[in-house]
CSV table of all heavy atoms in Angstrom, one decimal:
chain,number,residue,atom,x,y,z
X,1,HIS,N,6.9,10.4,-7.4
X,1,HIS,CA,7.2,10.2,-8.8
X,1,HIS,C,8.6,9.6,-9.0
X,1,HIS,O,9.5,9.9,-8.2
X,1,HIS,CB,7.2,11.6,-9.4
X,1,HIS,CG,7.3,11.7,-10.9
X,1,HIS,ND1,8.4,11.4,-11.6
X,1,HIS,CD2,6.4,12.1,-11.8
X,1,HIS,CE1,8.2,11.6,-12.9
X,1,HIS,NE2,7.0,12.0,-13.1
X,2,TRP,N,8.8,8.8,-10.0
X,2,TRP,CA,10.2,8.3,-10.3
X,2,TRP,C,11.2,9.4,-10.5
X,2,TRP,O,10.8,10.5,-10.8
X,2,TRP,CB,10.1,7.4,-11.5
X,2,TRP,CG,9.3,7.8,-12.7
X,2,TRP,CD1,8.1,7.4,-13.1
X,2,TRP,CD2,9.8,8.8,-13.7
X,2,TRP,NE1,7.7,8.1,-14.2
X,2,TRP,CE2,8.7,8.9,-14.7
X,2,TRP,CE3,10.9,9.5,-14.0
X,2,TRP,CZ2,8.7,9.7,-15.8
X,2,TRP,CZ3,11.0,10.3,-15.1
X,2,TRP,CH2,9.9,10.4,-16.0
X,3,PRO,N,12.5,9.2,-10.2
X,3,PRO,CA,13.1,7.9,-9.9
X,3,PRO,C,12.9,7.5,-8.4
X,3,PRO,O,12.7,8.4,-7.6
X,3,PRO,CB,14.6,8.1,-10.1
X,3,PRO,CG,14.7,9.6,-9.9
X,3,PRO,CD,13.5,10.2,-10.4
X,4,LEU,N,12.8,6.2,-8.1
X,4,LEU,CA,12.6,5.7,-6.8
X,4,LEU,C,13.9,6.0,-6.0
X,4,LEU,O,14.9,5.3,-6.2
X,4,LEU,CB,12.3,4.2,-6.8
X,4,LEU,CG,11.0,3.8,-7.3
X,4,LEU,CD1,10.8,2.3,-7.3
X,4,LEU,CD2,9.8,4.5,-6.6
X,5,GLN,N,13.9,7.0,-5.2
X,5,GLN,CA,15.1,7.3,-4.4
X,5,GLN,C,14.6,7.8,-3.0
X,5,GLN,O,13.8,8.7,-2.9
X,5,GLN,CB,15.9,8.5,-5.0
X,5,GLN,CG,16.5,8.1,-6.4
X,5,GLN,CD,17.2,9.2,-7.1
X,5,GLN,OE1,17.1,10.4,-6.7
X,5,GLN,NE2,17.9,8.9,-8.2
X,6,ALA,N,15.2,7.2,-1.9
X,6,ALA,CA,14.7,7.5,-0.6
X,6,ALA,C,15.8,7.4,0.4
X,6,ALA,O,16.9,6.8,0.1
X,6,ALA,CB,13.6,6.5,-0.2
X,7,LEU,N,15.6,7.9,1.6
X,7,LEU,CA,16.6,7.9,2.6
X,7,LEU,C,16.6,6.5,3.3
X,7,LEU,O,15.6,5.9,3.5
X,7,LEU,CB,16.3,8.9,3.7
X,7,LEU,CG,16.4,10.4,3.2
X,7,LEU,CD1,15.7,11.3,4.1
X,7,LEU,CD2,17.9,10.8,3.0
X,8,PRO,N,17.8,6.0,3.6
X,8,PRO,CA,18.0,4.6,4.1
X,8,PRO,C,17.1,4.4,5.3
X,8,PRO,O,16.5,3.3,5.5
X,8,PRO,CB,19.5,4.5,4.4
X,8,PRO,CG,20.1,5.5,3.6
X,8,PRO,CD,19.1,6.7,3.4
X,9,GLU,N,17.0,5.3,6.3
X,9,GLU,CA,16.2,5.1,7.5
X,9,GLU,C,14.7,5.0,7.2
X,9,GLU,O,14.0,4.3,7.9
X,9,GLU,CB,16.5,6.2,8.5
X,9,GLU,CG,16.1,7.6,8.0
X,9,GLU,CD,17.2,8.4,7.4
X,9,GLU,OE1,18.1,7.8,6.8
X,9,GLU,OE2,17.2,9.6,7.5
X,10,ASP,N,14.3,5.6,6.1
X,10,ASP,CA,12.9,5.4,5.7
X,10,ASP,C,12.6,4.1,5.1
X,10,ASP,O,11.6,3.4,5.3
X,10,ASP,CB,12.4,6.6,4.8
X,10,ASP,CG,12.4,7.9,5.5
X,10,ASP,OD1,12.3,8.0,6.8
X,10,ASP,OD2,12.6,8.9,4.8
X,11,ILE,N,13.5,3.7,4.2
X,11,ILE,CA,13.4,2.4,3.6
X,11,ILE,C,13.4,1.2,4.6
X,11,ILE,O,12.6,0.3,4.5
X,11,ILE,CB,14.6,2.2,2.5
X,11,ILE,CG1,14.5,3.3,1.5
X,11,ILE,CG2,14.5,0.8,1.9
X,11,ILE,CD1,15.7,3.2,0.5
X,12,ALA,N,14.2,1.4,5.6
X,12,ALA,CA,14.4,0.3,6.6
X,12,ALA,C,13.1,0.0,7.3
X,12,ALA,O,12.8,-1.1,7.7
X,12,ALA,CB,15.4,0.7,7.6
X,13,LYS,N,12.2,1.1,7.4
X,13,LYS,CA,10.9,0.9,8.1
X,13,LYS,C,10.0,-0.1,7.4
X,13,LYS,O,9.1,-0.7,8.0
X,13,LYS,CB,10.2,2.2,8.2
X,13,LYS,CG,10.9,3.2,9.2
X,13,LYS,CD,10.4,4.6,9.0
X,13,LYS,CE,9.0,4.8,9.5
X,13,LYS,NZ,8.6,6.3,9.4
X,14,TYR,N,10.2,-0.3,6.1
X,14,TYR,CA,9.3,-1.1,5.3
X,14,TYR,C,10.0,-2.4,4.8
X,14,TYR,O,9.4,-3.1,4.0
X,14,TYR,CB,8.8,-0.3,4.1
X,14,TYR,CG,8.0,0.9,4.6
X,14,TYR,CD1,8.6,2.1,4.8
X,14,TYR,CD2,6.7,0.7,4.9
X,14,TYR,CE1,7.8,3.2,5.3
X,14,TYR,CE2,5.9,1.8,5.4
X,14,TYR,CZ,6.5,3.0,5.6
X,14,TYR,OH,5.8,4.1,6.1
X,15,LYS,N,11.1,-2.7,5.4
X,15,LYS,CA,11.8,-3.9,5.0
X,15,LYS,C,11.0,-5.2,5.3
X,15,LYS,O,10.5,-5.4,6.4
X,15,LYS,CB,13.2,-4.0,5.7
X,15,LYS,CG,14.2,-5.0,5.1
X,15,LYS,CD,14.7,-4.4,3.8
X,15,LYS,CE,15.7,-5.3,3.1
X,15,LYS,NZ,16.0,-4.9,1.7
X,16,GLY,N,10.7,-6.0,4.2
X,16,GLY,CA,9.9,-7.2,4.4
X,16,GLY,C,8.4,-7.0,4.4
X,16,GLY,O,7.7,-7.9,4.3
X,17,ARG,N,8.0,-5.7,4.4
X,17,ARG,CA,6.5,-5.5,4.5
X,17,ARG,C,5.8,-5.9,3.2
X,17,ARG,O,4.6,-6.3,3.3
X,17,ARG,CB,6.2,-4.0,4.7
X,17,ARG,CG,4.8,-3.6,4.7
X,17,ARG,CD,4.1,-4.3,5.9
X,17,ARG,NE,2.6,-3.9,6.0
X,17,ARG,CZ,1.7,-4.6,5.3
X,17,ARG,NH1,2.0,-5.6,4.5
X,17,ARG,NH2,0.4,-4.3,5.4
X,18,TYR,N,6.4,-5.9,2.1
X,18,TYR,CA,5.8,-6.2,0.8
X,18,TYR,C,6.0,-7.6,0.3
X,18,TYR,O,5.8,-7.9,-0.9
X,18,TYR,CB,6.1,-5.1,-0.2
X,18,TYR,CG,5.6,-3.8,0.3
X,18,TYR,CD1,6.4,-2.8,0.9
X,18,TYR,CD2,4.2,-3.5,0.3
X,18,TYR,CE1,5.9,-1.6,1.4
X,18,TYR,CE2,3.7,-2.3,0.8
X,18,TYR,CZ,4.6,-1.4,1.4
X,18,TYR,OH,4.1,-0.2,1.9
X,19,SER,N,6.5,-8.5,1.2
X,19,SER,CA,6.7,-9.9,0.8
X,19,SER,C,5.4,-10.6,0.5
X,19,SER,O,5.4,-11.7,-0.1
X,19,SER,CB,7.6,-10.6,1.8
X,19,SER,OG,6.9,-10.6,3.1
X,20,ILE,N,4.3,-10.0,1.0
X,20,ILE,CA,3.0,-10.7,0.7
X,20,ILE,C,2.6,-10.5,-0.7
X,20,ILE,O,1.7,-11.3,-1.2
X,20,ILE,CB,1.9,-10.1,1.6
X,20,ILE,CG1,1.7,-8.6,1.4
X,20,ILE,CG2,2.2,-10.4,3.1
X,20,ILE,CD1,0.5,-8.0,2.1
X,21,GLY,N,3.2,-9.6,-1.5
X,21,GLY,CA,2.9,-9.4,-2.9
X,21,GLY,C,1.7,-8.5,-3.1
X,21,GLY,O,1.0,-8.1,-2.2
X,22,TRP,N,1.5,-8.2,-4.4
X,22,TRP,CA,0.5,-7.2,-4.8
X,22,TRP,C,-0.9,-7.7,-4.6
X,22,TRP,O,-1.8,-6.9,-4.3
X,22,TRP,CB,0.8,-6.6,-6.2
X,22,TRP,CG,1.2,-7.6,-7.2
X,22,TRP,CD1,0.6,-8.7,-7.7
X,22,TRP,CD2,2.6,-7.7,-7.7
X,22,TRP,NE1,1.3,-9.3,-8.6
X,22,TRP,CE2,2.6,-8.8,-8.7
X,22,TRP,CE3,3.7,-6.9,-7.6
X,22,TRP,CZ2,3.7,-9.1,-9.4
X,22,TRP,CZ3,4.9,-7.2,-8.3
X,22,TRP,CH2,4.8,-8.3,-9.2
X,23,ASP,N,-1.2,-9.0,-4.8
X,23,ASP,CA,-2.6,-9.5,-4.7
X,23,ASP,C,-3.1,-9.4,-3.3
X,23,ASP,O,-4.2,-8.9,-3.1
X,23,ASP,CB,-2.6,-10.9,-5.3
X,23,ASP,CG,-2.4,-11.0,-6.8
X,23,ASP,OD1,-3.1,-10.3,-7.5
X,23,ASP,OD2,-1.4,-11.7,-7.2
X,24,SER,N,-2.3,-9.9,-2.4
X,24,SER,CA,-2.7,-9.8,-1.0
X,24,SER,C,-2.8,-8.4,-0.5
X,24,SER,O,-3.7,-8.0,0.3
X,24,SER,CB,-1.7,-10.6,-0.1
X,24,SER,OG,-1.8,-12.0,-0.4
X,25,LEU,N,-1.8,-7.5,-0.9
X,25,LEU,CA,-1.8,-6.2,-0.4
X,25,LEU,C,-3.1,-5.4,-0.9
X,25,LEU,O,-3.7,-4.7,-0.2
X,25,LEU,CB,-0.6,-5.4,-0.9
X,25,LEU,CG,-0.4,-4.0,-0.4
X,25,LEU,CD1,-0.3,-4.0,1.2
X,25,LEU,CD2,0.8,-3.3,-1.0
X,26,ARG,N,-3.4,-5.7,-2.2
X,26,ARG,CA,-4.6,-5.0,-2.7
X,26,ARG,C,-5.9,-5.5,-1.9
X,26,ARG,O,-6.7,-4.6,-1.6
X,26,ARG,CB,-4.8,-5.4,-4.2
X,26,ARG,CG,-6.0,-4.7,-4.8
X,26,ARG,CD,-6.1,-4.9,-6.3
X,26,ARG,NE,-7.1,-4.2,-7.0
X,26,ARG,CZ,-8.3,-4.8,-7.4
X,26,ARG,NH1,-8.5,-6.1,-7.2
X,26,ARG,NH2,-9.2,-4.0,-8.0
X,27,SER,N,-5.9,-6.7,-1.6
X,27,SER,CA,-7.1,-7.2,-0.8
X,27,SER,C,-7.1,-6.6,0.6
X,27,SER,O,-8.2,-6.2,1.1
X,27,SER,CB,-7.0,-8.8,-0.6
X,27,SER,OG,-7.1,-9.4,-1.9
X,28,GLN,N,-6.0,-6.4,1.2
X,28,GLN,CA,-5.9,-5.7,2.5
X,28,GLN,C,-6.4,-4.3,2.4
X,28,GLN,O,-7.1,-3.8,3.3
X,28,GLN,CB,-4.5,-5.7,3.0
X,28,GLN,CG,-4.0,-7.1,3.5
X,28,GLN,CD,-2.6,-7.1,4.1
X,28,GLN,OE1,-2.0,-6.1,4.1
X,28,GLN,NE2,-2.1,-8.2,4.5
X,29,ARG,N,-6.0,-3.6,1.3
X,29,ARG,CA,-6.4,-2.2,1.2
X,29,ARG,C,-7.9,-2.1,0.9
X,29,ARG,O,-8.5,-1.1,1.4
X,29,ARG,CB,-5.6,-1.5,0.0
X,29,ARG,CG,-4.1,-1.3,0.4
X,29,ARG,CD,-3.5,-0.4,-0.6
X,29,ARG,NE,-2.1,-0.1,-0.2
X,29,ARG,CZ,-1.3,0.7,-0.9
X,29,ARG,NH1,-1.7,1.4,-1.9
X,29,ARG,NH2,0.0,0.9,-0.5
X,30,ILE,N,-8.4,-3.0,0.2
X,30,ILE,CA,-9.9,-3.0,-0.1
X,30,ILE,C,-10.7,-3.1,1.2
X,30,ILE,O,-11.6,-2.4,1.5
X,30,ILE,CB,-10.3,-4.1,-1.1
X,30,ILE,CG1,-9.8,-3.7,-2.5
X,30,ILE,CG2,-11.8,-4.3,-1.1
X,30,ILE,CD1,-9.9,-4.9,-3.5
X,31,VAL,N,-10.2,-4.0,2.0
X,31,VAL,CA,-10.9,-4.2,3.3
X,31,VAL,C,-10.8,-3.0,4.2
X,31,VAL,O,-11.8,-2.5,4.8
X,31,VAL,CB,-10.3,-5.4,4.1
X,31,VAL,CG1,-10.8,-5.5,5.5
X,31,VAL,CG2,-10.6,-6.7,3.4
X,32,GLN,N,-9.6,-2.4,4.2
X,32,GLN,CA,-9.4,-1.2,5.0
X,32,GLN,C,-10.2,0.0,4.5
X,32,GLN,O,-10.8,0.8,5.3
X,32,GLN,CB,-7.9,-0.8,5.0
X,32,GLN,CG,-7.6,0.4,5.9
X,32,GLN,CD,-7.8,0.3,7.3
X,32,GLN,OE1,-8.2,-0.8,7.8
X,32,GLN,NE2,-7.5,1.3,8.1
X,33,GLN,N,-10.4,0.1,3.2
X,33,GLN,CA,-11.2,1.2,2.6
X,33,GLN,C,-12.6,1.1,3.0
X,33,GLN,O,-13.3,2.1,3.3
X,33,GLN,CB,-11.0,1.2,1.1
X,33,GLN,CG,-9.7,1.7,0.6
X,33,GLN,CD,-9.5,1.6,-0.9
X,33,GLN,OE1,-10.1,0.8,-1.6
X,33,GLN,NE2,-8.7,2.5,-1.5
X,34,LYS,N,-13.1,-0.1,3.0
X,34,LYS,CA,-14.5,-0.4,3.5
X,34,LYS,C,-14.7,-0.1,4.9
X,34,LYS,O,-15.7,0.5,5.4
X,34,LYS,CB,-14.9,-1.8,3.2
X,34,LYS,CG,-15.0,-2.1,1.7
X,34,LYS,CD,-15.4,-3.6,1.4
X,34,LYS,CE,-15.6,-3.8,-0.1
X,34,LYS,NZ,-15.9,-5.3,-0.4
X,35,THR,N,-13.7,-0.4,5.7
X,35,THR,CA,-13.7,-0.2,7.2
X,35,THR,C,-13.7,1.4,7.4
X,35,THR,O,-14.4,1.9,8.3
X,35,THR,CB,-12.5,-0.8,7.9
X,35,THR,OG1,-12.5,-2.2,7.7
X,35,THR,CG2,-12.5,-0.5,9.4
X,36,LEU,N,-12.9,2.1,6.7
X,36,LEU,CA,-12.8,3.5,6.8
X,36,LEU,C,-14.0,4.3,6.3
X,36,LEU,O,-14.3,5.4,6.7
X,36,LEU,CB,-11.6,4.1,6.1
X,36,LEU,CG,-10.2,3.7,6.7
X,36,LEU,CD1,-9.1,4.0,5.7
X,36,LEU,CD2,-10.0,4.3,8.0
X,37,GLY,N,-14.8,3.7,5.4
X,37,GLY,CA,-15.9,4.3,4.8
X,37,GLY,C,-15.5,5.1,3.5
X,37,GLY,O,-16.3,5.8,3.0
X,38,ILE,N,-14.3,4.9,3.0
X,38,ILE,CA,-13.9,5.5,1.8
X,38,ILE,C,-14.4,4.8,0.6
X,38,ILE,O,-14.8,5.4,-0.4
X,38,ILE,CB,-12.3,5.5,1.7
X,38,ILE,CG1,-11.8,6.6,2.7
X,38,ILE,CG2,-11.8,5.8,0.3
X,38,ILE,CD1,-12.2,8.0,2.4
X,39,SER,N,-14.6,3.5,0.7
X,39,SER,CA,-15.2,2.7,-0.4
X,39,SER,C,-16.7,2.6,-0.2
X,39,SER,O,-17.1,2.2,0.9
X,39,SER,CB,-14.5,1.4,-0.5
X,39,SER,OG,-15.0,0.6,-1.5
X,40,ASP,N,-17.4,3.0,-1.2
X,40,ASP,CA,-18.9,2.9,-1.1
X,40,ASP,C,-19.3,1.4,-1.3
X,40,ASP,O,-19.0,0.9,-2.4
X,40,ASP,CB,-19.6,3.8,-2.1
X,40,ASP,CG,-21.1,3.9,-2.0
X,40,ASP,OD1,-21.7,2.9,-1.5
X,40,ASP,OD2,-21.6,4.9,-2.4
X,41,PRO,N,-19.9,0.8,-0.4
X,41,PRO,CA,-20.3,-0.6,-0.5
X,41,PRO,C,-21.2,-0.9,-1.7
X,41,PRO,O,-21.3,-2.1,-2.2
X,41,PRO,CB,-20.9,-1.0,0.8
X,41,PRO,CG,-21.3,0.3,1.4
X,41,PRO,CD,-20.3,1.3,0.9
X,42,LYS,N,-21.9,0.1,-2.2
X,42,LYS,CA,-22.8,-0.1,-3.3
X,42,LYS,C,-22.1,-0.2,-4.6
X,42,LYS,O,-22.7,-0.6,-5.6
X,42,LYS,CB,-23.8,1.1,-3.4
X,42,LYS,CG,-24.7,1.3,-2.2
X,42,LYS,CD,-25.8,2.3,-2.5
X,42,LYS,CE,-25.3,3.6,-3.0
X,42,LYS,NZ,-24.6,4.4,-2.0
X,43,GLN,N,-20.8,0.3,-4.6
X,43,GLN,CA,-20.1,0.3,-5.9
X,43,GLN,C,-19.2,-0.9,-6.1
X,43,GLN,O,-18.5,-1.3,-5.2
X,43,GLN,CB,-19.2,1.6,-5.9
X,43,GLN,CG,-20.1,2.9,-5.9
X,43,GLN,CD,-19.2,4.1,-5.8
X,43,GLN,OE1,-18.1,4.1,-5.2
X,43,GLN,NE2,-19.6,5.2,-6.4
């Protein structure tokens, strides 16, 4: 929950990870959900 406040060592782990942007990241998560079986392929 906001406000966004975190420890520097934790932030450093994700530096540059989100440069792909929200559209690509959403696509990656959808693929992973299907792989894990969390997303029902019928839906």
Side-chain angles (χ1 to χ4, degrees):
H1 190 291
W2 44 261
L4 293 179
Q5 296 174 351
L7 293 164
E9 60 267 32
D10 294 333
I11 299 172
K13 293 165 68 172
Y14 297 93
K15 199 68 179 172
R17 177 63 181 85
Y18 297 103
S19 61
I20 62 172
W22 37 71
D23 293 303
S24 294
L25 185 63
R26 182 173 185 258
S27 296
Q28 289 181 359
R29 289 194 179 185
I30 289 170
V31 170
Q32 182 65 1
Q33 287 175 333
K34 290 178 179 178
T35 300
L36 292 169
I38 286 299
S39 179
D40 188 332
K42 300 191 304 294
Q43 294 175 330

